[in-house]
Amino acid sequence: MLREPARGDWSPGQYGKFAAERSQPFFDLLSLMDPVEGGTAADLGCGPGELTRLALEELHLATIVGVDNSPAMLASAEQRSGGGVSFVSGDIATWQSSAPVDVVIAAASLQWVPHHREVLRHWTAALAPGGQLAVQVPANAHAATHVLAAQMCGEEPYASAFGANGPPPDPVHDNVLAPDDYARILDDLGFVEQSVTLRVYPHRLANVRAAVEWVKGTTLTRIEKRLPDDTYARFLFEYEERLGELLDHAEPLFYPFSRILFWGRVAT
Ligand SMILES: C[S@@+](CC[C@H](N)C(=O)[O-])C[C@H]1O[C@@H](n2cnc3c(N)ncnc32)[C@H](O)[C@@H]1O
């Protein structure tokens, strides 16, 4: 029996509400890669682990280790360990592999850490000759869901409630680079083949409430973590009202979601 996640931790249940929408970019990422029969891999920011196992199967790997720093996500992932799949707690910003791996995957996790050039340098250093790096990162800081959250963080009573450190910045806005920056970084890091794509996923959600449920499982976790319960409840209430106005209370709601997918292979 899994424990409820600690307040402000990731919630596998909340995250899983949009599993179908979230898994399509992972399939697209896998389709960029070549299988590595009997190879080894790391899935950085693995979340609840279903996709980690899928990567093992689709890429014909012998082993894959999922790395995450959320106790709740790891507890959920642990249920999927075995048969070559394992999970460890770790920070993807400083992750290092004890032995070179054939594949490094990071799906919807890189945006949570800054200094992508440096982080990608670390990840590349973990690759065996001929190894592949595959990353999918949201590029939707301009979406109404994200702009409104950032705006409200700067307004009262929320701004004061965050205390001396101020509101938590939107990691997608602050950390994610342009597609051509990633192409240049891959080239600088010595990747001999690469592919970088900006792709828009055309989601149709039932209504604005569904969009709120979506972001509650991801970008709003940074706000939930920092506000007292009652203030976060008020934030959510006001957020849904204002998002509804911004999006004309559309039902269904067209929710385009931009993501950057990039892949590269180092020299053999
Ligand atoms: C949006 S989920 C993605 C999960 C999975 N890769 C997928 O595609 O569904 C992001 C995951 O990254 C993890 N994460 C965020 N920052 C991290 C860090 N610095 N170190 C390790 N994991 C991190 C979170 O705990 C969460 O499980």
Side-chain angles (χ1 to χ4, degrees), residues 10 15 45-47 51 68-70 73 90-92 107-109 112-113 218:
W10 287 77
Y15 187 72
C46 59
L51 300 177
D68 208 287
N69 65 357
S70 156
M73 285 298 203
D91 183 352
I92 61 173
S109 54
W112 289 100
V113 299
T218 52

Side-chain angles (χ1 to χ4, degrees), residues 55-95:
L56 176 104
E57 290 163 4
E58 293 293 314
L59 299 175
H60 306 172
L61 302 164
T63 61
I64 187 166
V65 59
V67 180
D68 208 287
N69 65 357
S70 156
M73 285 298 203
L74 283 170
S76 177
E78 267 311 323
Q79 298 178 305
R80 297 172 181 98
S81 63
V85 181
S86 61
F87 298 95
V88 295
S89 179
D91 183 352
I92 61 173
T94 53
W95 172 81

